[in-house]
Amino acid sequence: MKAKVDQNLCIGCGACVSMCPETFEFGKDHKSHAKGECKNCDCKAVAAACPVGAITVEE
């Protein structure tokens, strides 16, 4: 699975980074960025935890 973060929606809350640091990281803009493939987490659960719905997951 591949995760994407909509930069227009992301508020930089850090929920995704704390749930799955292998896949998500903060950028210089203080917003979350996906590193690519979901590896050791349930990216669908991470997407559901995003308070603004900025994360989408493609299979």
Side-chain angles (χ1 to χ4, degrees):
M1 286 189 264
K2 185 172 182 171
K4 291 184 180 181
V5 180
D6 184 333
Q7 298 302 300
N8 294 318
L9 294 176
C10 181
I11 59 172
C13 74
C16 58
V17 176
S18 66
M19 290 177 74
C20 190
E22 298 87 11
T23 303
F24 300 94
E25 65 186 355
F26 284 116
K28 291 182 181 182
D29 57 0
H30 304 287
K31 292 185 178 186
S32 177
H33 295 266
K35 298 179 190 179
E37 295 292 322
C38 295
K39 296 176 182 163
N40 298 317
C41 65
D42 180 355
C43 280
K44 289 182 181 181
V46 175
C50 179
V52 294
I55 300 171
T56 55
V57 179
E58 297 176 351
E59 298 209 31

